[in-house]
Amino acid sequence: MTEPLDADALTARVGMLDDLARRSWSLVADHERALGRDPEAPASPSDTPGPRQRARELLDHVEGYLAPRARDLDAPLLVVLIGPTGSGKSTITNTLAGSLVSEPGVLRPTTRHAVVVAAPPDHAWATGADGPLAAIPAERLRHTSTGARPGIVLVDAPDIDSVEHDNRALADALLERSDLCLFVTTATRYADRVPWDVLARIAERGMPLLVVVNRMPPDASDQEHVLADVRAMLERAAIPVEVVLGIPEGALAADGPGLTGAAAASLTTRLDTLAADRDARRALAARALAGALAGIAPLATSIAADLETLAEDADRLRLRAVEDHAQELVLLLERVNGGDVLRGEVVAQWHSFVGADQVTRWFSSGIGRVRAALTTLVRGAPPAPVTAVERGVTDDLASLVVATADDAARRTADHWSADPDGMALLADHPALWAASPDLRERAALSLREWMASIASDVAATGATKRGVARGLSLGVNAGAVTIMLGVFAHTGGITGAEAGIAAATAYLNQKLMNALFGEAAVQEMIDHARDDLADRLRTLLDEERRRFDRLLPTVDTVRALSAELRAVA
Amino acid sequence: MTDASGLAAADVLLDRLVRAAEAATTLGLDPIPATEAAAVIRARGGFPGDLYVLALAGGTGVGKSSILNALAGDDLSDTGVQRPTTTHAVAWVPAAHADATGPLLDWLGGATVRLRPAADDAAPDPLAQVVLLDLPDLDSVAAEHAARVDAALPRVDAVAWVSDPEKYADSVLHDRYLARWASRLARQAFVLNKTDRVTSGDLPMLRDDVAARLAQEHLPSMPILPVSAHGDLDALRGWLADGVHARDVVRDRQGRAATAALADLARAAGTDGPLPPEPLLTADRRRAAIDATTAAVLDVVGLTGLRAQAIAATRQAARGQGGGLLARIRGLLDRGTGRPERLADPQGYLLRWRDRGSLVPATLPVRAAIAEGLAALPPAARGAAAATGDSDGLVTRLAAAVDRTVTGPAASAPLPTSRAWPLIGLGQVLATVALITGVAWIVAGFATGSQLPAAAIDLPILGGMPMPALLVLIGILGTWGLSWLLVRHADRLGGRWADRLAADLRTGVADAVDATALGSLGAWDAARRQLWQVARDVPAT
């Protein structure tokens, strides 16, 4: 009896696998939920098993089999009878128990629960907190100790292929938890596709396997032909099997609940031998455990591949969102620099202030200055329309931000909808087809902060310049508006007849500000304000995009987990 | 080969499918279910309509071939213990139709043809109108068998689902095949073979269980025929000979397939309810969106500015006719600086509306309204609905609408003038003459050392006043007063003109927003209504 791993190493490995299995399952399950699917809902047996089933298999396998078995090789053996509906599992269970413990029936599927034939202490162990059946809901298990063999827990699983989908889920869960599998099929069924999915998993799991072909035709040469065909198929599929047994149709015992004949007897003997021989049980358990440990590699590799696909899909969707939002941001910045946010009225209002003589006099000299002083004396100084300009710019720019975010959201949602997963992710989030409802307020707030930061920039620059007194008497805020207008109008993006006003404004602005602060300082302030604005707009759109990101798994986590799974495999 | 009523029925179905495909395309849904159903109906119309193809479909080992052989009383199709057995389809064709069925069977994927000789006696042949097609299994490891079945099922006219007491609850049969095809077939039966393996007491229970299962899965009810290929086939024989006409089978089958395709599309569009689909926006919501958008568009067009321009232009025209000397000089100066083009040109001002801001913010109310409506739609239909709020498209359509209005008749109406202006002008001339005369009088008096007579006139309050001074006073007051009058009058006329134009603009833009900005939404709503109509076979209104 050679132990493949010493006890501590085994415990450590099982602990690590348990952690990986839990994380894989929770990741896959979270993603399923994001897709609007219930990860616990049983799948149709005729669907090819997918990432969800594999992640579940690993978790069931590690928690339900590896952990209890690693703790105790001498614990009772779990023998599962598994097979398609109508294959006669119940009759075989009854044969093995030597009494009617599982009710066979003519209606399909016959059993919706599993029958557990075990001596009371074995049953207590199996369903106890550390036992293999701990996680199986008690109402799905029927226990009987009639005909039980000490040291062996015999489980008659429900079918694997009927329309009752949760039968398959229970059968899969039981399969992952067992040491030995009796796979029951029939002469009609043996080439069905669905059971071969289960057989493939049994082989991958490295589980000792006995195949019983029930309901064999009466003719001996036909029987031989069928058995040979089954063996050939198993060989082609590379599924190692201890023995393939045939049971003829209608071989029911006249006096009991079970079957008669050599095949039935050899099955009974096999279990009796195991029950009688503690070492044989231990040897089988060790073989099953070794197989199970080896079988982790292919499953972990497939899950790693599943996770990589998941990460790739998530990446693809995420990049679509990034691209769409980036494109819209570019358009927004073009509009901003093109002066789209400067409404004619607002510009005109500012122009009439800047153009007014009491402002021009700051940079006039000689007779112009005298004239300006006189006009101011006569007309009085009008207040700078700072608030009006600020509000105008904030309103228009915030509207543009909302429209841009709206377009970006719609594009992204549209692109995502071309992908089945993307559409499923969005199904419960129709709001993602438009900008967030509170975006306008957030944009307005950010723009007000932007203006405030320009104002403090102006004040700070002014403090170091000789024109402080003049600058401050004009008003820091008016200076800030001048810089702000410089951001929009400086590039000369405004066209058409209104350009007269805008250009004049820009010109006067520049003259005014240059006179106050010096040309280089003004340019620096404008550049700084423009960069700051671009950053703020980018941040706003990034926040919008993150609504999409939140629907996707974190790609780094997924990739890291995938790498860990590959490493363990 | 089809008769008139059959042709008409097929044409009606085709028309519904084509309209559904159009509507689906407008809604951004995949029209393929409708176009494929239409293609099958068209193709089937080219093959004989006086016989129908009944496929035997089922899992491996349930005895499809055995049933066919038992019916024929001959080994037409291979049977055996090795699974799966049948690899190629076998067709059992009435000898009378041997030539005509060739192309039909090719279209169905091909089959080995076995001819059924006509009955010798004079009794009518119950199977004269049916071709039995034994298909490969649908559930074995041989994936190509299932593929063969999947290719044939959309095209066959009727199906006998063959199963047995062991397999009748199989997931593959129910989840993969019955769930998809039972609702698309008119003539079908559930053949429960191998009933010799259950006791006669269990048989009714088994039958009830099959029926209960079909009902539980919301499948259409169909005859359940317990048979035994090696014994009693009466149930199946009876069903095959129940006097059904091939033409009815083909027609009903196409009706079911088309209805199912239409129902699928309606479900995807969310128009599968009993009532016609609600428009995406309620009338109130639509009204509110139009009003908000109109207000925002007019804000960009600039009604305040328009009024100021109109008043300035009217003033200028008034000064031209009724202004005093100073006003005329000022007008000349203004013209030199280009001021009138900039500030007193309402029509030009309107045409330059694009310079005053972007229409993008004006699209927000419409888009917010559309976004609110999306939640009620199935995910697949949201994209096309959201696209009706496409920002570029909306802006383009809104801009075109504004352009139409600002170049329309209301905006090109001439600026107001008044007959009073020349009269005021005459008054101005007189006042100027009085002023000049008075000034000249005074100057001449100084120059001549007060030799000129200057009679004093007694005024009520001011007392005696010399004539020249009076003339000067009249000149100054007259000029000032008449100018004041002229400007007030011009302002009133110009203001009224601008108000009328603003009202016209408001209705013009509102109508344009309604018709163009929400235009694609209208097409979208209409497509949904159309899909609902064709799916429920409601005549178009």
Side-chain angles (χ1 to χ4, degrees):
Chain A
M1 195 77 34
T2 52
E3 301 281 357
L5 284 167
D6 68 67
D8 288 345
L10 186 61
T11 313
R13 183 162 171 84
V14 170
M16 183 179 66
L17 287 172
D18 190 30
D19 172 55
L20 282 178
R22 277 169 191 280
R23 277 154 60 204
S24 307
W25 170 249
S26 95
L27 215 152
V28 171
D30 283 350
H31 186 58
E32 287 290 314
R33 273 187 285 268
L35 290 168
R37 298 196 286 249
D38 176 7
E40 307 286 355
S44 165
S46 44
D47 291 343
T48 319
R52 173 168 75 110
Q53 280 91 334
R54 284 188 279 273
R56 185 79 228 182
E57 272 167 16
L58 183 65
L59 186 64
D60 279 342
H61 185 56
V62 174
E63 301 207 323
Y65 182 74
L66 284 184
R69 189 47 78 206
R71 266 194 294 275
D72 187 0
L73 265 187
D74 291 319
L77 281 182
L78 206 66
V79 179
V80 69
L81 263 116
I82 214 164
T85 176
S87 57
K89 292 185 300 297
S90 296
T91 315
I92 292 178
T93 309
N94 292 338
T95 311
L96 293 175
S99 106
L100 186 78
V101 292
S102 184
E103 193 73 53
V106 67
L107 299 187
R108 305 271 83 88
T110 316
T111 27
R112 282 152 210 256
H113 49 262
V115 177
V116 181
V117 186
D122 294 347
H123 177 255
W125 165 79
T127 53
D130 285 340
L133 303 180
I136 309 277
E139 70 270 17
R140 304 218 57 194
L141 300 174
R142 294 256 160 99
H143 173 232
T144 175
S145 45
T146 315
R149 295 169 175 80
I152 292 181
V153 177
L154 180 67
V155 183
D156 176 17
D159 73 87
I160 53 169
D161 66 348
S162 82
V163 279
E164 300 293 337
H165 299 174
D166 41 353
N167 281 1
R168 169 65 179 271
L170 179 57
D172 282 346
L174 290 169
L175 183 67
E176 294 303 333
R177 290 168 160 81
S178 305
D179 295 282
L180 173 66
C181 176
L182 292 182
F183 190 92
V184 184
T185 183
T186 70
T188 322
R189 287 245 184 228
Y190 71 84
D192 284 10
R193 183 181 56 79
V194 172
W196 284 91
D197 290 342
V198 178
L199 283 167
R201 172 61 192 146
I202 291 171
E204 182 185 73
R205 242 210 69 174
M207 190 178 189
L209 167 70
L210 282 75
V211 172
V212 178
V213 185
N214 205 351
R215 308 223 162 116
M216 295 281 274
D219 185 79
S221 73
D222 281 352
Q223 289 185 6
E224 215 25 69
H225 189 92
V226 169
L227 287 181
D229 199 28
V230 172
R231 285 195 192 97
M233 283 179 81
L234 286 163
E235 201 168 316
R236 274 202 300 278
I239 296 170
V241 58
E242 254 180 43
V243 64
V244 178
L245 296 168
I247 297 179
E249 166 97 60
L252 285 171
D255 56 342
L259 298 158
T260 57
S266 86
L267 277 181
T268 316
T269 314
R270 177 88 170 86
L271 283 198
D272 286 342
T273 318
L274 277 176
D277 184 350
R278 190 167 169 274
D279 286 343
R281 284 207 303 274
R282 193 182 160 84
L284 181 70
R287 187 152 67 87
L289 179 59
L293 284 169
I296 287 291
L299 183 57
T301 310
S302 335
I303 296 174
D306 289 341
L307 292 181
E308 269 149 35
T309 312
L310 176 64
E312 268 165 39
D313 290 349
D315 246 354
R316 206 185 52 243
L317 291 176
R318 199 177 54 80
L319 280 179
R320 278 263 50 137
V322 168
E323 233 169 72
D324 290 336
H325 282 74
Q327 275 177 14
E328 292 297 330
L329 178 67
V330 168
L331 285 179
L332 175 63
L333 292 178
E334 271 173 20
R335 277 177 173 157
V336 166
N337 292 333
D340 260 20
V341 285
L342 277 189
R343 194 102 57 93
E345 286 157 45
V346 174
V347 177
Q349 217 172 343
W350 186 251
H351 172 73
S352 65
F353 163 68
V354 175
D357 302 313
Q358 79 280 0
V359 176
T360 7
R361 77 190 158 109
W362 289 116
F363 53 87
S364 308
S365 54
I367 191 70
R369 196 161 181 164
V370 175
R371 187 176 147 267
L374 279 173
T375 330
T376 310
L377 202 64
V378 175
R379 290 193 191 161
V386 170
T387 323
V389 176
E390 282 186 351
R391 199 190 302 122
V393 171
T394 316
D395 276 1
D396 284 6
L397 196 45
S399 291
L400 263 184
V401 169
V402 173
T404 306
D406 212 46
D407 279 339
R410 198 172 48 70
R411 263 168 187 273
T412 304
D414 209 29
H415 282 132
W416 278 30
S417 292
D419 175 289
D421 275 5
M423 191 186 285
L425 287 172
L426 287 176
D428 286 340
H429 303 276
L432 288 190
W433 282 90
S436 321
D438 65 338
L439 178 62
R440 173 175 269 282
E441 279 93 89
R442 281 190 286 125
L445 182 69
S446 175
L447 291 171
R448 279 196 294 276
E449 284 170 8
W450 175 61
M451 287 172 190
S453 87
I454 298 179
S456 61
D457 208 11
V458 169
T461 313
T464 64
K465 298 281 168 185
R466 66 175 171 83
V468 179
R470 295 172 176 182
L472 290 184
S473 72
L474 178 66
V476 166
N477 287 333
V481 168
T482 318
I483 295 293
M484 194 178 75
L485 291 178
V487 169
F488 301 128
H490 181 67
T491 51
I494 296 177
T495 53
E498 301 302 318
I501 297 177
T505 308
Y507 175 72
L508 285 174
N509 271 332
Q510 291 288 300
K511 291 281 277 182
L512 172 64
M513 295 309 286
N514 291 352
L516 285 174
F517 298 103
E519 202 171 333
V522 169
Q523 193 54 51
E524 197 179 303
M525 282 192 281
I526 290 180
D527 288 347
H528 182 237
R530 185 181 295 123
D531 293 348
D532 186 21
L533 178 63
D535 282 349
R536 285 170 184 278
L537 298 179
R538 191 171 297 117
T539 308
L540 285 168
L541 279 183
D542 274 353
E543 280 164 13
E544 288 291 288
R545 180 177 55 77
R546 237 165 267 138
R547 298 184 302 157
F548 288 91
D549 279 2
R550 277 194 282 275
L551 298 182
L552 298 169
T554 319
V555 173
D556 292 344
T557 318
V558 178
R559 292 235 157 90
L561 185 53
S562 170
E564 281 182 67
L565 282 164
R566 282 200 193 280
V568 88
Chain B
M1 284 198 219
T2 20
D3 62 14
S5 71
L7 196 75
D11 282 350
V12 170
L13 286 182
L14 284 175
D15 176 57
R16 285 169 69 194
L17 288 169
V18 167
R19 283 197 290 146
E22 281 168 10
T25 311
T26 307
L27 296 174
L29 300 174
D30 186 0
I32 283 181
T35 50
E36 271 183 358
V40 168
I41 292 176
R42 280 198 201 95
R44 184 63 180 88
F47 299 117
D50 53 358
L51 82 172
Y52 71 95
V53 178
L54 173 73
L56 298 174
T60 174
V62 298
K64 296 180 297 295
S65 299
S66 302
I67 289 176
L68 183 63
N69 292 347
L71 283 175
D74 197 358
D75 277 358
L76 303 184
S77 198
D78 293 342
T79 57
V81 291
Q82 183 172 335
R83 306 266 80 87
T85 317
T86 307
T87 311
H88 299 289
V90 174
W92 194 38
V93 181
H97 292 289
D99 297 337
T101 46
L104 173 59
L105 288 172
D106 286 346
W107 179 64
L108 288 168
T112 311
V113 174
R114 309 280 175 166
L115 292 183
R116 192 165 60 81
D120 295 335
D121 50 38
D125 182 356
L127 298 181
Q129 298 185 22
V130 59
V131 172
L132 277 173
L133 183 66
D134 179 22
L135 290 172
D137 71 89
L138 44 72
D139 64 355
S140 79
V141 284
E144 69 277 11
H145 291 187
R148 176 72 186 80
V149 178
D150 293 348
L153 281 178
R155 298 178 171 189
V156 297
D157 302 310
V159 174
W161 302 103
V162 185
S163 194
D164 67 8
E166 203 179 315
K167 285 195 155 185
Y168 76 88
D170 273 17
S171 156
V172 175
L173 176 64
H174 288 264
D175 295 341
R176 285 257 157 127
Y177 289 92
L178 288 170
R180 163 127 187 104
W181 294 109
S183 61
R184 284 154 206 269
L185 288 160
R187 185 164 170 79
Q188 59 189 326
F190 197 103
V191 178
L192 195 61
N193 192 19
K194 302 190 189 171
T195 47
D196 51 330
R197 294 196 185 183
V198 294
T199 64
S200 56
D202 285 341
L203 188 56
M205 216 163 67
L206 203 56
R207 235 181 111 136
D208 290 349
D209 194 43
V210 173
R213 232 168 236 302
L214 296 180
Q216 191 194 332
E217 289 161 31
H218 306 290
L219 299 175
S221 73
M222 60 181 87
I224 295 160
L225 313 173
V227 300
S228 164
H230 306 295
D232 182 6
L233 271 176
D234 290 352
L236 178 58
R237 276 189 222 278
W239 180 67
L240 286 172
D242 64 0
V244 73
H245 290 290
R247 287 182 201 292
D248 297 341
V249 172
V250 174
R251 190 197 56 216
D252 291 350
R253 148 71 159 160
Q254 294 181 343
R256 288 278 173 88
T259 308
L262 293 170
D264 284 352
L265 280 178
R267 202 170 307 115
T271 63
D272 49 341
L275 295 175
E278 294 286 331
L280 186 64
L281 300 187
T282 62
D284 286 350
R285 195 71 189 76
R286 189 184 165 97
R287 192 71 248 163
I290 291 171
D291 288 347
T293 302
T294 307
V297 169
L298 289 176
D299 205 27
V300 173
V301 171
L303 294 185
T304 328
L306 174 69
R307 198 164 200 278
Q309 294 259 353
I311 288 174
T314 318
R315 268 192 202 181
Q316 199 165 12
R319 283 201 190 107
Q321 295 180 29
L325 194 62
L326 284 173
R328 280 165 202 272
I329 292 167
R330 192 175 153 193
L332 280 175
L333 283 178
D334 276 351
R335 214 157 285 147
T337 60
R339 192 178 146 86
E341 284 78 26
R342 221 169 55 230
L343 300 178
D345 177 16
Q347 273 116 352
Y349 177 82
L350 276 183
L351 292 175
R352 292 192 307 271
W353 67 268
R354 277 171 212 275
D355 301 333
R356 289 190 289 278
S358 160
L359 283 181
V360 172
T363 63
L364 290 178
V366 173
R367 304 166 76 186
I370 292 174
E372 275 170 37
L374 286 183
L377 297 175
R382 285 180 194 156
T388 61
D390 176 79
S391 144
D392 290 345
L394 274 181
V395 166
T396 313
R397 287 196 295 276
L398 278 180
V402 173
D403 278 339
R404 264 199 307 285
T405 321
V406 299
T407 54
S412 41
L415 279 167
T417 67
S418 172
R419 293 218 185 95
W421 295 347
L423 288 177
I424 293 173
L426 189 65
Q428 291 275 20
V429 171
L430 293 176
T432 310
V433 168
L435 183 65
I436 289 168
T437 314
V439 170
W441 197 329
I442 292 166
V443 171
F446 276 113
T448 55
S450 299
Q451 294 304 304
L452 285 177
I457 293 171
D458 257 355
L459 288 178
I461 295 160
L462 296 172
M465 192 167 203
M467 189 61 184
L470 191 63
L471 282 176
V472 170
L473 190 64
I474 287 172
I476 290 173
L477 285 180
T479 309
W480 180 78
L482 287 170
S483 293
W484 185 86
L485 197 66
L486 185 72
V487 166
R488 291 298 151 280
H489 188 235
D491 285 4
R492 240 180 92 189
L493 288 185
R496 257 197 242 146
W497 183 86
D499 290 345
R500 257 198 319 277
L501 179 55
D504 281 357
L505 275 176
R506 194 167 281 121
T507 41
V509 170
D511 288 352
V513 168
D514 193 6
T516 65
L518 297 172
S520 54
L521 191 61
W524 187 88
D525 277 335
R528 279 186 94 213
R529 212 157 37 243
Q530 175 157 327
L531 210 46
W532 177 81
Q533 279 168 348
V534 292
R536 298 188 67 86
D537 203 11
V538 174
T541 44

